Amino acid sequence: MKSPLIIHLEEYMGAKMPEIDAVTQETTNTSNGMAGKLAQGAMAAGLVVLYKYSRSIDGAEYLAKTSPTDLNLSQLLNQKHQVLVTQLAGYAGSSEIQANTMLSAVVREAMFFVHRENKNHREASAVQTYFGNQRQAILGHLPPELGLGEIMKDETLDDRTNKMEGPISSIAHAIEDIFSSSGASKKD
């Protein structure tokens, strides 16, 4: 299921987010062209970066109070910036400059959207809840080829059970969402 955030990013980037088959872990609608694949990978990676950063109170506070144009990608990635850019460039067959530019554009536009959605709730808890509610949709579009679980030191990102949908999975994910709607008290 696509969230309004994902739909907005797809329209903004002019590309569909990749869809992952929960059973085979294969990406089912990968773009053939470099630009499309870069947009797809940047959308998936950018949303994961924002989700992960929003899990801490300090991170959520930074996302809530900082203008999207002033977001520092290196700060969001905490020494993982170059590794992620290199991985994204390899995934898409682009240069690292193109990958960094696209990732920055996705993160910035996603936060513009989140700020508009939460215009009356610009505190850390609202950002944590918003991204906690997006978790399932984000993970369902995360290509395993990006290797973000390893880069972000979070094996649950690449866990196929997080990408499953259906009545039983929906119940399990609803329970999971209750426990993940707010974040941890410290940064990774």
Side-chain angles (χ1 to χ4, degrees), residues 52-79:
K52 290 291 291 175
Y53 202 74
S54 74
R55 299 299 80 205
S56 74
I57 291 292
D58 291 342
E61 184 77 24
Y62 176 74
L63 293 174
K65 302 296 182 194
T66 304
S67 168
T69 56
D70 295 332
L71 289 174
N72 182 329
L73 201 53
S74 292
Q75 180 177 341
L76 297 179
L77 286 160
N78 192 23
Q79 275 98 52

Short mmCIF file of all heavy atoms in Angstrom, two decimals, residues 52-79:
data_model
loop_
_atom_site.label_atom_id
_atom_site.label_comp_id
_atom_site.label_asym_id
_atom_site.label_seq_id
_atom_site.Cartn_x
_atom_site.Cartn_y
_atom_site.Cartn_z
N LYS A 52 14.94 6.41 9.85
CA LYS A 52 15.93 6.04 10.86
C LYS A 52 16.31 7.24 11.73
O LYS A 52 16.42 7.11 12.94
CB LYS A 52 17.18 5.45 10.21
CG LYS A 52 16.99 4.09 9.60
CD LYS A 52 16.77 3.02 10.63
CE LYS A 52 18.05 2.79 11.43
NZ LYS A 52 17.88 1.84 12.52
N TYR A 53 16.50 8.41 11.12
CA TYR A 53 16.91 9.58 11.88
C TYR A 53 15.79 10.05 12.82
O TYR A 53 16.06 10.57 13.90
CB TYR A 53 17.33 10.71 10.93
CG TYR A 53 18.24 11.71 11.60
CD1 TYR A 53 19.56 11.41 11.87
CD2 TYR A 53 17.76 12.96 11.96
CE1 TYR A 53 20.39 12.32 12.50
CE2 TYR A 53 18.59 13.89 12.59
CZ TYR A 53 19.89 13.56 12.85
OH TYR A 53 20.71 14.47 13.49
N SER A 54 14.56 9.83 12.42
CA SER A 54 13.44 10.27 13.23
C SER A 54 13.21 9.41 14.47
O SER A 54 12.41 9.77 15.33
CB SER A 54 12.15 10.29 12.40
OG SER A 54 11.68 8.97 12.17
N ARG A 55 13.89 8.32 14.59
CA ARG A 55 13.67 7.42 15.71
C ARG A 55 14.20 7.98 17.02
O ARG A 55 13.74 7.60 18.09
CB ARG A 55 14.30 6.03 15.46
CG ARG A 55 13.73 5.28 14.26
CD ARG A 55 12.23 4.96 14.35
NE ARG A 55 11.44 6.12 13.99
CZ ARG A 55 10.20 6.36 14.38
NH1 ARG A 55 9.56 5.52 15.15
NH2 ARG A 55 9.55 7.45 14.02
N SER A 56 15.18 8.86 16.99
CA SER A 56 15.67 9.46 18.23
C SER A 56 14.96 10.80 18.46
O SER A 56 14.54 11.46 17.50
CB SER A 56 17.19 9.66 18.17
OG SER A 56 17.51 10.75 17.34
N ILE A 57 14.86 11.19 19.70
CA ILE A 57 14.24 12.48 20.03
C ILE A 57 15.04 13.62 19.40
O ILE A 57 14.47 14.54 18.80
CB ILE A 57 14.13 12.68 21.56
CG1 ILE A 57 13.11 11.70 22.13
CG2 ILE A 57 13.78 14.11 21.91
CD1 ILE A 57 11.68 11.97 21.72
N ASP A 58 16.37 13.56 19.52
CA ASP A 58 17.20 14.61 18.94
C ASP A 58 17.04 14.67 17.43
O ASP A 58 16.96 15.74 16.84
CB ASP A 58 18.69 14.39 19.28
CG ASP A 58 18.99 14.61 20.75
OD1 ASP A 58 18.18 15.25 21.45
OD2 ASP A 58 20.06 14.14 21.20
N GLY A 59 17.01 13.50 16.79
CA GLY A 59 16.84 13.45 15.34
C GLY A 59 15.50 13.99 14.91
O GLY A 59 15.39 14.77 13.96
N ALA A 60 14.45 13.58 15.60
CA ALA A 60 13.11 14.05 15.27
C ALA A 60 12.99 15.55 15.50
O ALA A 60 12.34 16.26 14.71
CB ALA A 60 12.07 13.29 16.09
N GLU A 61 13.62 16.04 16.54
CA GLU A 61 13.61 17.49 16.82
C GLU A 61 14.29 18.24 15.68
O GLU A 61 13.79 19.27 15.22
CB GLU A 61 14.33 17.76 18.15
CG GLU A 61 14.30 19.20 18.58
CD GLU A 61 12.96 19.62 19.16
OE1 GLU A 61 12.20 18.76 19.65
OE2 GLU A 61 12.67 20.83 19.12
N TYR A 62 15.42 17.73 15.22
CA TYR A 62 16.14 18.36 14.10
C TYR A 62 15.26 18.38 12.85
O TYR A 62 15.16 19.40 12.17
CB TYR A 62 17.44 17.59 13.85
CG TYR A 62 18.23 18.07 12.65
CD1 TYR A 62 18.95 19.26 12.70
CD2 TYR A 62 18.26 17.34 11.47
CE1 TYR A 62 19.68 19.71 11.61
CE2 TYR A 62 18.98 17.77 10.38
CZ TYR A 62 19.70 18.96 10.45
OH TYR A 62 20.42 19.40 9.36
N LEU A 63 14.61 17.26 12.54
CA LEU A 63 13.75 17.19 11.36
C LEU A 63 12.54 18.12 11.49
O LEU A 63 12.12 18.73 10.51
CB LEU A 63 13.29 15.76 11.10
CG LEU A 63 14.37 14.77 10.70
CD1 LEU A 63 13.80 13.35 10.62
CD2 LEU A 63 15.02 15.16 9.38
N ALA A 64 12.00 18.23 12.69
CA ALA A 64 10.81 19.06 12.90
C ALA A 64 11.13 20.54 12.82
O ALA A 64 10.35 21.32 12.29
CB ALA A 64 10.18 18.75 14.26
N LYS A 65 12.29 20.95 13.31
CA LYS A 65 12.60 22.38 13.44
C LYS A 65 13.46 22.94 12.32
O LYS A 65 13.54 24.15 12.16
CB LYS A 65 13.31 22.63 14.78
CG LYS A 65 12.52 22.20 16.00
CD LYS A 65 11.25 22.99 16.15
CE LYS A 65 10.51 22.55 17.41
NZ LYS A 65 9.16 22.99 17.47
N THR A 66 14.10 22.09 11.53
CA THR A 66 15.01 22.55 10.49
C THR A 66 14.26 22.70 9.17
O THR A 66 13.52 21.80 8.77
CB THR A 66 16.19 21.57 10.32
OG1 THR A 66 16.83 21.40 11.58
CG2 THR A 66 17.19 22.08 9.30
N SER A 67 14.48 23.80 8.51
CA SER A 67 13.91 24.00 7.18
C SER A 67 14.45 22.92 6.25
O SER A 67 15.66 22.61 6.30
CB SER A 67 14.29 25.38 6.65
OG SER A 67 13.97 25.47 5.28
N PRO A 68 13.63 22.33 5.41
CA PRO A 68 14.12 21.29 4.50
C PRO A 68 15.30 21.73 3.64
O PRO A 68 16.17 20.91 3.31
CB PRO A 68 12.89 20.96 3.64
CG PRO A 68 11.75 21.24 4.55
CD PRO A 68 12.18 22.46 5.33
N THR A 69 15.38 23.00 3.31
CA THR A 69 16.50 23.47 2.49
C THR A 69 17.80 23.52 3.29
O THR A 69 18.88 23.58 2.70
CB THR A 69 16.22 24.87 1.90
OG1 THR A 69 15.92 25.77 2.97
CG2 THR A 69 15.07 24.83 0.91
N ASP A 70 17.70 23.48 4.61
CA ASP A 70 18.89 23.54 5.47
C ASP A 70 19.32 22.18 6.03
O ASP A 70 20.26 22.12 6.81
CB ASP A 70 18.65 24.51 6.64
CG ASP A 70 18.47 25.94 6.17
OD1 ASP A 70 19.02 26.30 5.11
OD2 ASP A 70 17.76 26.70 6.88
N LEU A 71 18.61 21.11 5.66
CA LEU A 71 18.97 19.79 6.18
C LEU A 71 20.36 19.40 5.72
O LEU A 71 20.72 19.58 4.57
CB LEU A 71 17.96 18.74 5.71
CG LEU A 71 16.57 18.81 6.34
CD1 LEU A 71 15.64 17.81 5.67
CD2 LEU A 71 16.64 18.58 7.84
N ASN A 72 21.13 18.84 6.63
CA ASN A 72 22.49 18.40 6.35
C ASN A 72 22.49 16.88 6.19
O ASN A 72 22.33 16.15 7.17
CB ASN A 72 23.41 18.83 7.50
CG ASN A 72 24.84 18.47 7.28
OD1 ASN A 72 25.17 17.48 6.64
ND2 ASN A 72 25.72 19.28 7.84
N LEU A 73 22.67 16.42 4.96
CA LEU A 73 22.63 14.98 4.67
C LEU A 73 23.70 14.23 5.44
O LEU A 73 23.46 13.11 5.92
CB LEU A 73 22.76 14.75 3.17
CG LEU A 73 22.26 13.43 2.61
CD1 LEU A 73 20.84 13.14 3.01
CD2 LEU A 73 22.38 13.44 1.09
N SER A 74 24.87 14.80 5.59
CA SER A 74 25.95 14.15 6.34
C SER A 74 25.54 13.94 7.80
O SER A 74 25.82 12.91 8.40
CB SER A 74 27.24 14.95 6.28
OG SER A 74 27.75 14.93 4.97
N GLN A 75 24.84 14.92 8.37
CA GLN A 75 24.37 14.78 9.75
C GLN A 75 23.33 13.68 9.84
O GLN A 75 23.34 12.89 10.78
CB GLN A 75 23.79 16.10 10.26
CG GLN A 75 23.29 16.01 11.69
CD GLN A 75 22.79 17.33 12.22
OE1 GLN A 75 23.10 18.39 11.70
NE2 GLN A 75 22.00 17.28 13.28
N LEU A 76 22.42 13.63 8.87
CA LEU A 76 21.39 12.60 8.89
C LEU A 76 21.97 11.19 8.78
O LEU A 76 21.40 10.24 9.30
CB LEU A 76 20.40 12.80 7.73
CG LEU A 76 19.57 14.08 7.74
CD1 LEU A 76 18.68 14.13 6.51
CD2 LEU A 76 18.75 14.20 9.00
N LEU A 77 23.11 11.08 8.10
CA LEU A 77 23.70 9.77 7.87
C LEU A 77 24.82 9.41 8.84
O LEU A 77 25.29 8.27 8.82
CB LEU A 77 24.19 9.67 6.43
CG LEU A 77 23.04 9.52 5.45
CD1 LEU A 77 23.45 9.90 4.05
CD2 LEU A 77 22.53 8.09 5.49
N ASN A 78 25.29 10.36 9.64
CA ASN A 78 26.25 10.06 10.70
C ASN A 78 27.39 9.14 10.24
O ASN A 78 27.43 7.97 10.59
CB ASN A 78 25.50 9.45 11.90
CG ASN A 78 26.36 9.38 13.13
OD1 ASN A 78 27.32 10.12 13.26
ND2 ASN A 78 26.02 8.49 14.03
N GLN A 79 28.29 9.62 9.45
CA GLN A 79 29.45 8.91 8.90
C GLN A 79 29.11 7.81 7.88
O GLN A 79 29.97 7.02 7.52
CB GLN A 79 30.32 8.29 10.01
CG GLN A 79 31.32 9.26 10.60
CD GLN A 79 30.81 9.86 11.89
OE1 GLN A 79 30.41 9.15 12.78
NE2 GLN A 79 30.83 11.17 11.99
#
